[in-house]
Amino acid sequence: MKKFMALSLAAMTALALAGCGSGTSATTAAATEAATEAKDTTAADTTAAETTEADTTVAESTSAEKKSSEKTYIINTDTTFAPFEFENDKGQLVGIDMDILKAIAIDQNFVCEVVPVGFSAATTALEAGECDGVIAGMSITDQRKEKYDFSDPYFDSGVGMAVLADSDIDSYEKLNGQNVAAKIGTEGCKFAESIADKYGFTVTQYEDSATMYQAVLAGEAVACFEDYPVVGYEISRGLGLKLLPNIEAGNSYGFATMKGENPELVEMFNKGLANIKANGKYQEILDTYIAK
């Protein structure tokens, strides 16, 4: 399980201690007096050094205590929903959602730990109080808003249908009597089920995108329904499917928390999102994963 933390940076102060020296005199009395003064000066310097060292220790201790007491937000996400969240060749969890969350955490100076568990498991954990928020290409819907507090939208998507690259299926009508694949709890699944009776096909649900795509490649399903930037990204990387041009209007993605549980987290997300859009970081993130 891959985790990352966007950590607040604490400033540290370096202190320098000054040293002193003494000379000799022509008479014993003068030498004694000088020695006494030197001794007093050394004692004073030592006391000052000890005081400074103690102050530094207290400052470091206070800083460490503040850092250790700072709340760490647990954020659950999907495992395979590229280009929004996925594991790269180095085993790192990356993607649009991950980069946006990291940039916002830095901008708003909060700490979070990201846990990839799958979309369905992420929402289940949120409702069970096992995490503070979910970012996983989660569409903002009226039904979900009854349970969750959503951030401002951070991406506008839509649902597309993908079939084998050499398939002759080019419309919903040709799905009659066939089986199609969709991922549990997604807008793609919701849309497929909403038109299944009309066009006479059945829907098989899968836990993750990779398994869903494999079902089509293996002939277990003739098509799959998925958010278009997700399946489009996989196709651009060599997935043997093609995306049909009829993209259905979809909902916007939002960051979610349980209703009334973490209003400060939603507020920080919104402020940070506005800031990274204003300074160009947001567009830089999108350009990294979605080719124009």
Coordinates of all heavy atoms in Angstrom, one line a residue, residues 166-205:
D166 N -11.2 -3.7 -33.2 CA -11.7 -4.2 -34.5 C -13.2 -4.6 -34.4 O -13.7 -5.2 -35.3 CB -10.9 -5.4 -34.9 CG -11.0 -6.6 -33.9 OD1 -11.6 -6.4 -32.9 OD2 -10.4 -7.7 -34.2
S167 N -13.9 -4.1 -33.4 CA -15.3 -4.4 -33.3 C -16.2 -3.6 -34.3 O -15.8 -2.5 -34.6 CB -15.8 -4.1 -31.8 OG -17.2 -4.3 -31.7
D168 N -17.3 -4.2 -34.7 CA -18.2 -3.5 -35.6 C -19.3 -2.8 -34.8 O -20.2 -2.3 -35.4 CB -18.7 -4.5 -36.7 CG -19.6 -5.6 -36.1 OD1 -19.6 -5.7 -34.8 OD2 -20.1 -6.4 -36.8
I169 N -19.3 -2.9 -33.5 CA -20.3 -2.2 -32.7 C -20.0 -0.7 -32.7 O -18.9 -0.2 -32.3 CB -20.2 -2.7 -31.2 CG1 -20.7 -4.2 -31.2 CG2 -21.2 -1.9 -30.3 CD1 -20.6 -4.8 -29.8
D170 N -21.0 0.0 -33.2 CA -20.8 1.5 -33.3 C -22.0 2.2 -32.8 O -22.2 3.4 -33.0 CB -20.6 1.9 -34.8 CG -21.7 1.4 -35.7 OD1 -22.7 0.9 -35.2 OD2 -21.5 1.6 -36.9
S171 N -22.9 1.5 -32.1 CA -24.1 2.2 -31.5 C -24.6 1.3 -30.4 O -24.3 0.1 -30.2 CB -25.2 2.4 -32.6 OG -25.7 1.1 -33.0
Y172 N -25.5 1.9 -29.6 CA -26.1 1.2 -28.5 C -27.1 0.1 -29.0 O -27.2 -0.9 -28.3 CB -26.9 2.2 -27.6 CG -26.1 3.2 -26.9 CD1 -26.6 4.5 -26.7 CD2 -24.8 3.0 -26.5 CE1 -25.9 5.5 -26.1 CE2 -24.0 4.0 -26.0 CZ -24.6 5.3 -25.7 OH -23.8 6.3 -25.1
E173 N -27.7 0.3 -30.1 CA -28.6 -0.7 -30.7 C -27.9 -2.0 -30.9 O -28.5 -3.1 -30.8 CB -29.1 -0.2 -32.0 CG -30.2 0.9 -31.9 CD -29.7 2.3 -31.6 OE1 -28.4 2.4 -31.7 OE2 -30.4 3.2 -31.4
K174 N -26.6 -2.0 -31.2 CA -25.9 -3.2 -31.5 C -25.5 -4.0 -30.2 O -24.8 -5.0 -30.3 CB -24.7 -2.9 -32.4 CG -25.0 -2.5 -33.8 CD -23.8 -2.4 -34.7 CE -24.2 -2.1 -36.1 NZ -23.1 -2.0 -37.0
L175 N -25.8 -3.4 -29.1 CA -25.6 -4.1 -27.8 C -26.7 -5.1 -27.5 O -26.6 -5.8 -26.5 CB -25.4 -3.1 -26.7 CG -24.2 -2.1 -26.8 CD1 -24.3 -1.1 -25.6 CD2 -22.9 -2.9 -26.8
N176 N -27.8 -5.1 -28.3 CA -28.9 -6.0 -28.0 C -28.5 -7.5 -27.8 O -27.8 -8.0 -28.7 CB -29.9 -5.9 -29.1 CG -31.2 -6.7 -28.8 OD1 -31.8 -6.5 -27.7 ND2 -31.6 -7.5 -29.7
G177 N -28.9 -8.0 -26.7 CA -28.6 -9.4 -26.4 C -27.2 -9.7 -25.9 O -26.8 -10.8 -25.7
Q178 N -26.4 -8.7 -25.7 CA -25.0 -8.8 -25.3 C -24.8 -8.4 -23.8 O -25.7 -7.9 -23.1 CB -24.1 -7.9 -26.2 CG -24.3 -8.1 -27.7 CD -23.7 -9.3 -28.2 OE1 -23.0 -10.0 -27.5 NE2 -23.9 -9.6 -29.5
N179 N -23.6 -8.7 -23.4 CA -23.2 -8.3 -22.0 C -22.2 -7.2 -22.1 O -21.3 -7.2 -22.9 CB -22.6 -9.5 -21.3 CG -22.1 -9.2 -19.9 OD1 -22.9 -8.7 -19.1 ND2 -20.9 -9.4 -19.6
V180 N -22.3 -6.2 -21.2 CA -21.3 -5.1 -21.2 C -20.8 -5.0 -19.8 O -21.3 -5.5 -18.8 CB -22.0 -3.7 -21.6 CG1 -22.6 -3.8 -22.9 CG2 -22.9 -3.3 -20.5
A181 N -19.6 -4.4 -19.7 CA -18.9 -4.3 -18.4 C -18.9 -2.8 -17.9 O -18.9 -1.9 -18.6 CB -17.4 -4.7 -18.5
A182 N -18.9 -2.7 -16.5 CA -18.9 -1.4 -15.9 C -18.3 -1.6 -14.5 O -18.3 -2.7 -13.9 CB -20.3 -0.8 -15.8
K183 N -17.8 -0.5 -13.9 CA -17.2 -0.6 -12.6 C -18.2 -0.1 -11.5 O -18.9 0.8 -11.7 CB -15.9 0.3 -12.5 CG -15.1 0.1 -11.3 CD -13.7 0.8 -11.4 CE -13.8 2.2 -11.3 NZ -12.5 2.9 -11.2
I184 N -18.2 -0.9 -10.5 CA -19.2 -0.7 -9.4 C -19.1 0.8 -8.9 O -18.1 1.3 -8.6 CB -18.9 -1.6 -8.2 CG1 -19.1 -3.1 -8.6 CG2 -19.7 -1.3 -7.0 CD1 -18.6 -4.1 -7.6
G185 N -20.3 1.3 -8.8 CA -20.4 2.6 -8.1 C -20.1 3.8 -8.9 O -20.1 5.0 -8.4
T186 N -19.8 3.6 -10.2 CA -19.3 4.8 -11.1 C -20.4 5.3 -11.9 O -21.5 4.7 -12.1 CB -18.2 4.3 -12.0 OG1 -18.7 3.3 -12.9 CG2 -17.0 3.8 -11.2
E187 N -20.2 6.5 -12.5 CA -21.2 7.1 -13.4 C -21.3 6.2 -14.7 O -22.4 6.2 -15.2 CB -20.8 8.5 -13.8 CG -21.0 9.6 -12.7 CD -22.5 9.6 -12.4 OE1 -23.3 10.0 -13.3 OE2 -22.9 9.3 -11.2
G188 N -20.3 5.6 -15.1 CA -20.3 4.7 -16.2 C -21.3 3.6 -16.0 O -22.1 3.2 -16.8
C189 N -21.2 3.0 -14.8 CA -22.1 1.9 -14.4 C -23.6 2.4 -14.3 O -24.5 1.7 -14.8 CB -21.7 1.3 -13.1 SG -22.6 -0.1 -12.5
K190 N -23.7 3.5 -13.7 CA -25.1 4.1 -13.6 C -25.7 4.4 -14.9 O -26.9 4.1 -15.2 CB -25.0 5.4 -12.8 CG -26.3 6.1 -12.6 CD -26.1 7.4 -11.8 CE -27.4 8.1 -11.6 NZ -27.2 9.4 -10.8
F191 N -24.9 4.9 -15.9 CA -25.4 5.2 -17.2 C -25.8 3.9 -17.9 O -26.9 3.8 -18.6 CB -24.5 6.0 -18.0 CG -24.9 6.3 -19.4 CD1 -25.9 7.2 -19.7 CD2 -24.4 5.5 -20.5 CE1 -26.4 7.4 -21.0 CE2 -24.8 5.7 -21.8 CZ -25.9 6.6 -22.0
A192 N -24.9 2.9 -17.9 CA -25.1 1.6 -18.6 C -26.4 1.0 -18.1 O -27.2 0.5 -18.9 CB -23.9 0.7 -18.4
E193 N -26.6 1.0 -16.8 CA -27.8 0.4 -16.2 C -29.1 1.2 -16.6 O -30.2 0.6 -16.7 CB -27.7 0.3 -14.7 CG -26.7 -0.7 -14.2 CD -26.6 -0.9 -12.7 OE1 -26.8 0.2 -12.0 OE2 -26.3 -2.0 -12.2
S194 N -28.9 2.5 -16.8 CA -30.1 3.3 -17.1 C -30.6 3.1 -18.5 O -31.8 3.4 -18.8 CB -29.7 4.8 -17.0 OG -28.9 5.3 -18.0
I195 N -29.7 2.5 -19.4 CA -30.2 2.3 -20.8 C -30.2 0.8 -21.1 O -30.5 0.4 -22.3 CB -29.3 3.0 -21.8 CG1 -27.8 2.5 -21.8 CG2 -29.3 4.5 -21.6 CD1 -26.9 3.0 -22.9
A196 N -29.9 -0.1 -20.2 CA -29.8 -1.5 -20.4 C -31.2 -2.1 -20.9 O -31.2 -2.9 -21.9 CB -29.4 -2.2 -19.2
D197 N -32.2 -1.8 -20.3 CA -33.5 -2.3 -20.7 C -33.9 -1.8 -22.1 O -34.5 -2.5 -22.9 CB -34.6 -1.9 -19.7 CG -34.5 -2.7 -18.4 OD1 -33.8 -3.7 -18.4 OD2 -35.0 -2.2 -17.4
K198 N -33.7 -0.5 -22.3 CA -34.1 0.1 -23.6 C -33.3 -0.6 -24.8 O -34.0 -0.8 -25.9 CB -33.7 1.6 -23.6 CG -34.0 2.3 -24.9 CD -33.7 3.8 -24.8 CE -34.0 4.5 -26.2 NZ -33.7 5.9 -26.1
Y199 N -32.1 -0.9 -24.6 CA -31.3 -1.5 -25.7 C -31.1 -3.0 -25.6 O -30.4 -3.6 -26.4 CB -30.0 -0.8 -25.8 CG -30.1 0.7 -26.3 CD1 -30.0 1.7 -25.3 CD2 -30.4 1.0 -27.6 CE1 -30.2 3.1 -25.7 CE2 -30.6 2.3 -28.0 CZ -30.5 3.3 -27.0 OH -30.7 4.6 -27.5
G200 N -31.6 -3.6 -24.5 CA -31.6 -5.1 -24.4 C -30.3 -5.7 -24.1 O -30.0 -6.8 -24.6
F201 N -29.5 -5.1 -23.3 CA -28.2 -5.8 -22.9 C -28.2 -5.9 -21.4 O -29.0 -5.3 -20.6 CB -27.0 -5.0 -23.4 CG -26.9 -3.6 -22.9 CD1 -26.3 -3.3 -21.7 CD2 -27.3 -2.5 -23.7 CE1 -26.2 -2.0 -21.2 CE2 -27.2 -1.2 -23.2 CZ -26.6 -0.9 -22.0
T202 N -27.2 -6.7 -20.9 CA -27.0 -6.9 -19.4 C -25.7 -6.2 -19.0 O -24.8 -6.0 -19.9 CB -27.0 -8.4 -19.1 OG1 -25.9 -9.0 -19.8 CG2 -28.3 -9.1 -19.4
V203 N -25.6 -5.9 -17.7 CA -24.5 -5.2 -17.2 C -23.8 -6.1 -16.1 O -24.5 -6.5 -15.2 CB -24.8 -3.9 -16.6 CG1 -23.6 -3.2 -16.0 CG2 -25.5 -3.0 -17.6
T204 N -22.5 -6.4 -16.3 CA -21.7 -7.1 -15.3 C -20.8 -6.0 -14.6 O -20.1 -5.3 -15.3 CB -20.9 -8.2 -15.9 OG1 -21.8 -9.2 -16.5 CG2 -20.0 -8.9 -14.8
Q205 N -20.8 -6.0 -13.3 CA -20.0 -5.0 -12.6 C -18.7 -5.6 -12.1 O -18.6 -6.7 -11.7 CB -20.8 -4.5 -11.4 CG -22.1 -3.8 -11.8 CD -22.9 -3.2 -10.6 OE1 -22.3 -3.0 -9.6 NE2 -24.2 -3.0 -10.8

